[in-house]
Amino acid sequence: MTMDHLRDWIGRSEGAEDVAAPAALTGLAAMLDHDNPPWPAGEVPPLGHWLYFLPKALQRDIAEDGHPHKGGFLPPVELPRRMWAGDTLTFHRPIRSGEAITRRSTIEEVTPKEGRSGRMVFVKVRHEISTAAGVAITEFHDIVYREAAKPGDAPVPGERPAGEAVWQRRIQPDPVLLFRYSALTFNGHRIHYDRDYCRDVEGYPGLVFHGPLSATMLMDLFLRENPGARVTGFRFRAKRPLFDIHPLTLCGTPTDTGATLWVTDHEGFVAMSAELEAERS
């Protein structure tokens, strides 16, 4: 598959419909360990839209890695590892629990790169999530495809936090937490629950902590510290993988416009960085 052919996917678009069912939000609150969630009652919390428009591939169409076979809407990149690299989101208006919602998705970019770990292809997808009142969320979703791990590959270089955290929350991942998030998002990717596959096929030392789960927990950290705040923007970038065999720490510090947030691994290196904008009540 040549890059010229992969670029043919740029501009492709698809639509989806769903309902912001409250049961998914109840599950999210339980997974985040809330008796009383810190987001407004009756609303989908920021990033809660990831619980909707879930993949519905038939079982016969699932590939070895647990994802649907490549092709269709996303370009069929012939690299085995597929990861969520980052996101930029703008929250225009709240989504009410129980509302009908639509999503229009468009392939914006397909970009090859060469990194320390070999060939990569980045795919940027624009999502617009709307209610009857208009566009509620604009999201630019970055996906990265990588080569398979090779024996002797150097670890991802570590980056230390730029500042001191004002807020901190330590999390000890476990297979149950990862399974519950996979279940909430109907994510069959085996790197999150199949330890033998992780180790023997993709070369990871443990179960991989979901990128969007890290982002969701950073958002939750901010909301725990700022209940009632209205989040207007959020962008994050995955820096380093996290695994269930080690603890992680959610960190944040307030800014004039919202917060700077990050996740550190057990060695103190940044695994995800984020910037959040909000209007405080």
Side-chain angles (χ1 to χ4, degrees), residues 4 21-22 34 50 66-67 73 76 79 95 123 125 140 176 183 186 211 214-215 223 260:
D4 285 342
H34 288 302
W50 290 340
H67 277 306
F73 174 64
L79 294 173
I95 297 173
V123 177
V125 183
F140 289 93
V176 176
F186 202 45
S214 290
L223 293 175
T260 296

Side-chain angles (χ1 to χ4, degrees), residues 127-230:
H127 300 295
E128 286 193 338
I129 294 90
S130 302
T131 69
V135 176
I137 302 168
T138 303
E139 174 180 8
F140 289 93
H141 173 197
D142 293 315
I143 305 164
V144 61
Y145 297 81
R146 298 179 182 271
E147 293 182 358
K150 297 182 285 295
D153 278 352
V156 178
E159 173 186 320
R160 296 294 181 184
E164 294 294 323
V166 175
W167 314 315
Q168 284 191 337
R169 184 170 178 235
R170 187 176 183 274
I171 302 292
Q172 176 59 63
D174 61 51
V176 176
L177 173 64
L178 272 59
F179 171 79
R180 294 181 89 188
Y181 189 73
S182 288
L184 278 171
T185 54
F186 202 45
N187 181 352
H189 199 180
R190 291 170 67 181
I191 64 173
H192 303 305
Y193 60 86
D194 187 334
R195 197 175 301 279
D196 290 342
Y197 175 86
C198 267
R199 181 187 60 244
D200 300 337
V201 178
E202 298 215 13
Y204 293 119
L207 299 178
V208 179
F209 199 82
H210 311 64
L213 178 54
S214 290
T216 296
M217 287 193 153
L218 285 178
M219 180 68 72
D220 184 62
L221 176 69
F222 175 80
L223 293 175
R224 285 171 181 263
E225 299 291 340
N226 300 272
R230 180 69 65 185

Side-chain angles (χ1 to χ4, degrees), residues 102 131 201 230 239 262 270:
T102 62
T131 69
V201 178
R230 180 69 65 185
K239 304 271 191 177
W262 63 97
V270 176

